[in-house]
Each structure stands twice: as C-alpha cells, then as structure tokens.
Amino acid sequence: MGLKTACHPRIHQLAHFQFDYEFAQDRITVIFGPSGCGKSSLLRSMVGLPSPLECNQLTLGEQNLLRLPTHQRPIVLSAQKPDLLSHLSVQENLRFGFNRRKGNADYFDTVCEATGAINLIGRRTSQLSGGEIQRVAFARALATPATWHLFDEPLTHLDRESRRRITHWLKQSQRSDPRSIVYVTHDIAEAMDLADDVVILGDSGIEQIGGRHTLMHWLGNQDTGVNLLACSVISDELSEGLIALKLDQHTLWVPCTSSIPYENPSYIELSYKDVSITLDEPARTSILNILPCKVTAIESKGEATTRVQLNLGTQTLWAEITQRSCRELGLQIGLSVWAQVKGVSIRS
C-alpha cells in the first residue's frame, strides 16, 4: 500500500514547484536534489508541520491522512536539525515515541545497538555533541512504531565510517524486516547504498524517477567534479590491505579502510582531479591502477583547465588536467590513452 502524496507551494519562492508521487511500501525511497529545491519542505508538509509547501493529498490506501492531526498520522519524521527533549534523559528521549505507541522491545534494543545510541543512554541531552544528537534522534524515530518513516539528512554530522556502518545495517535489516522509508540526503554514497527507488527534485519539482542507475546517469550530467562508478567485488580477500574491484573489464585496487563488507554492486567516488593521463603504458610507477581507455570528449573549463572524458567500456571516466598538458599530449577525440588512478584517492 503506497503513500500517495501531492503538494503545491504556499509562497512565491517555490511558485513553480509541483509534487505528485506515490511512495512504494516496504522500500527505501531516496530523495536527491540541490539545496533549496524543496526536499525538507516536502517532508514537513507530509507530517503537518509548518512548511512553504502545502500537502493537498496524503493517502494511504483509502485512508486520507490529511484528516488526522499531526500526532495521529502513522508517520514519523527525523528532521534535518533534530530537537531532543531537553528535560528528558537520552534514554527517556529514545523511549518517548516507543512508549507512546507501544513498540517492539527487541527491535528497540537492536536499533539502539546498531546506531550507537546505546552508548549514550546514561547521558543528559546537554552532554551530547551534534553527531550524538543525530544518533539519538535517528534511533528514536526508527524505533517509534509507524507505517512510514521520513528522514531528512539524519546523519550529516557523523563521520563517514559511522554513516556507512548505520546505513549498511539499515539496508541489511530491510531484507529481513522491510520498512517504508523516505530518505533525503546530499551524500552520494549514502544515496547509492540505501536507495531502492530514487526521486530527483529540481526547482519545479520532480525531474526524474527511477533507481540507482537513474541517479548515476543524472549525476553524470551534473557539474559535480566527481566520477561515480559501479564496480563488482572480485574477491573479499585482502592483499596487503587492498581489495580488488572490477570496473568494466579493468581491475581496481582500493585500500580497504572499513570493516563494512563490500557488496555487489559497489559504488566508488573519484575526483576528476585525481585522474591523470599518459600516452604510453607506465612502468615502474607507484600508481597501481592503470586503465587503457579512449578519449571521447574534451571540454575547456576556463583559461587553464580542461576536462577529458575517457571511455572505459560501458562507463566513462572524467579527468581534469591543465590545457597545457592537453596540448602537449596532443589529446584528441578517438585517441587511445592510459588513465592513472591512485588507489588512495578512491572513496568507496
């Protein structure tokens, strides 16, 4: 039973924004888009909080949720800037919604353990850092019984490893105990790790709908300066702290700095500036990843910089180099070259 949502703007800043979409049940729908396009406003309108957007349809099957006051809607929101109840302890905050809606005790314990909130139970809220507040707010929302859970960039203040650990657990738990989740994030890796479905928003509302490949294609057309590539794991066994990933027909050696297991597919991020180009296959170099490829596009980016698109097979890789380097190498479309990628520059 999907959650049918439609909304329109209340104010002129979002005058052209329109949203009409049915969120799928028991799946994680990631909402992605630039800052200020209405992602947070959309979630706030869905739960009945003040928002520049007005929700004019919110139905769950035959049930019209707009007829219910905010606290009775079967929806829980973890806001971008979460507020904990300062007069309650961390443990009391975690149990606030859980107790009111009579939640599952085993699941409550699992959520607190997985998010790290269990280590904060004995504290007062005034003793928490920004990241710790987010851990508690995220755990509180997820442990509160609800038909739908909405998360608005809930882990932004956590370090990358902690975010990956929590999102990995959330994705794993979906397989055995699926929940209906709408998740807003700006983090590409987070989106690719979590998404079953993707809704890409722009200034006028929905731009694209699809899955992770839709997001990859959309990002490839944005001026992000970051390559997003899909890989598969060749072997889980480490070799001198490195893991081997298959990128099309190429092998990438990447430092394994995380205890979180890689999955297929795995997605890596690589800055355009961390890709260099050579005309001949290098020998006796510290760079482990040497990829044969072909130049498919050359774009000038100002007086000194050029971006070069390289075809790897089914995927493309962008390199950002100086115009002088481009000229001295004689780069042109169709030329076969070698791309060099330092393993330590790859984010996975």
Side-chain angles (χ1 to χ4, degrees), residues 72-299:
Q72 291 183 5
R73 296 181 188 182
I75 303 174
V76 171
L77 169 67
S78 182
Q80 192 175 52
K81 297 179 181 179
D83 288 325
L84 300 182
L85 300 171
S86 59
H87 62 289
L88 300 180
S89 67
V90 168
Q91 185 173 23
E92 290 168 333
N93 267 278
L94 286 167
R95 288 191 168 275
F96 185 80
F98 172 83
N99 289 339
R100 287 165 64 93
R101 297 191 179 184
K102 299 179 181 180
N104 181 289
D106 290 338
Y107 185 69
F108 176 86
D109 293 339
T110 299
V111 168
C112 290
E113 179 73 32
T115 58
I118 194 170
N119 301 318
L120 308 171
I121 279 179
R123 297 199 204 172
R124 305 296 302 180
T125 57
S126 59
Q127 299 173 312
L128 301 181
S129 67
E132 289 169 338
I133 290 173
Q134 283 199 322
R135 284 182 191 270
V136 174
F138 184 81
R140 178 180 64 182
L142 200 56
T144 298
T147 307
W148 287 83
H149 290 84
L150 314 183
F151 295 103
D152 188 3
E153 300 192 64
L155 306 175
T156 52
H157 295 308
L158 274 64
D159 61 89
R160 184 177 178 85
E161 177 69 6
S162 295
R163 291 200 308 272
R164 285 199 63 201
R165 191 176 302 281
I166 292 173
T167 55
H168 176 75
W169 167 79
L170 182 59
K171 190 67 174 179
Q172 291 295 312
S173 70
Q174 280 291 105
R175 295 172 180 171
S176 57
D177 186 17
R179 294 170 185 271
S180 304
I181 294 173
V182 180
Y183 197 102
V184 168
T185 181
H186 274 112
D187 188 282
I188 296 172
E190 202 170 70
M192 299 303 290
D193 284 345
L194 285 175
D196 295 314
D197 304 308
V198 174
V199 177
I200 300 173
L201 294 187
D203 292 338
S204 299
I206 296 175
E207 286 193 356
Q208 291 189 46
I209 296 170
R212 286 181 288 184
H213 286 292
T214 301
L215 180 58
M216 282 190 67
H217 184 267
W218 182 82
L219 288 168
N221 293 322
Q222 308 301 307
D223 190 12
T224 62
V226 177
N227 293 289
L228 179 63
L229 303 165
C231 302
S232 58
V233 179
I234 296 176
S235 172
D236 289 333
E237 295 184 10
L238 297 183
S239 175
E240 298 178 278
L242 302 173
I243 190 168
L245 301 178
K246 185 177 181 180
L247 172 61
D248 286 350
Q249 300 304 312
H250 313 287
T251 298
L252 281 182
W253 291 98
V254 181
C256 187
T257 58
S258 174
S259 58
I260 302 169
Y262 284 77
E263 295 186 342
N264 286 323
S266 290
Y267 298 92
I268 61 170
E269 296 175 60
L270 177 63
S271 171
Y272 294 178
K273 296 179 180 180
D274 289 325
V275 181
S276 62
I277 299 172
T278 178
L279 298 181
D280 305 305
E281 183 176 8
R284 300 176 64 83
T285 172
S286 65
I287 299 178
L288 296 177
N289 301 307
I290 311 296
L291 312 176
C293 48
K294 185 171 290 187
V295 177
T296 50
I298 300 174
E299 298 179 358

